[in-house]
Amino acid sequence: MAGGGECRVPASEAPGLVPVLDDAALALAAKALGHPARVRILRLLAERQACVTGDLVAEMPLSQSTIYEHLRILREAGLIQGEIDGPRGSYCLNRAGLAALKLAVSGL
């Protein structure tokens, strides 16, 4: 997989304050983590310590369309950020989203 790509972070997702997840957002994030392929995608992005541009298909035994669907779900849950459409999409971990998830789970 290609590395070192640029991941554009929208101002609303910029690092800083950790958002507070309500019950619906926590459930959405938990559901996003409920598939092994999505957990693997998060691990791959975390290993790179940077945004990743390229094709996860080479890393995983899934079709490109399936991977893009998993990326869409992770993005909607606030766990990744970036542009995920097309073969040149760039995406990375949403550190604030992951921190909010950790905080919400620790409060259960």
Side-chain angles (χ1 to χ4, degrees):
M1 177 170 26
E6 183 180 341
C7 182
R8 294 180 180 91
V9 181
S12 62
E13 297 176 13
L17 298 176
V18 174
V20 175
L21 297 184
D22 61 18
D23 290 346
L26 175 57
L28 184 64
K31 184 176 178 182
L33 291 174
H35 194 287
R38 293 192 285 270
V39 173
R40 177 73 179 135
I41 289 169
L42 289 174
R43 289 187 191 279
L44 288 170
L45 293 175
E47 286 173 8
R48 272 106 182 127
Q49 296 294 315
C51 299
V52 175
T53 299
D55 194 359
L56 288 168
V57 175
E59 296 279 341
M60 301 176 68
L62 300 171
S63 70
Q64 185 172 351
S65 62
T66 299
I67 288 175
Y68 285 138
E69 178 63 11
H70 287 307
L71 289 168
R72 182 192 64 78
I73 292 166
L74 289 167
R75 184 174 178 204
E76 287 179 1
L79 302 177
I80 66 169
Q81 59 196 17
E83 298 299 322
I84 58 176
D85 293 325
R88 294 189 177 255
S90 63
Y91 30 86
C92 56
L93 293 179
N94 180 342
R95 302 269 181 209
L98 289 169
L101 175 59
K102 282 177 144 179
L103 186 62
V105 169
S106 71
L108 294 177

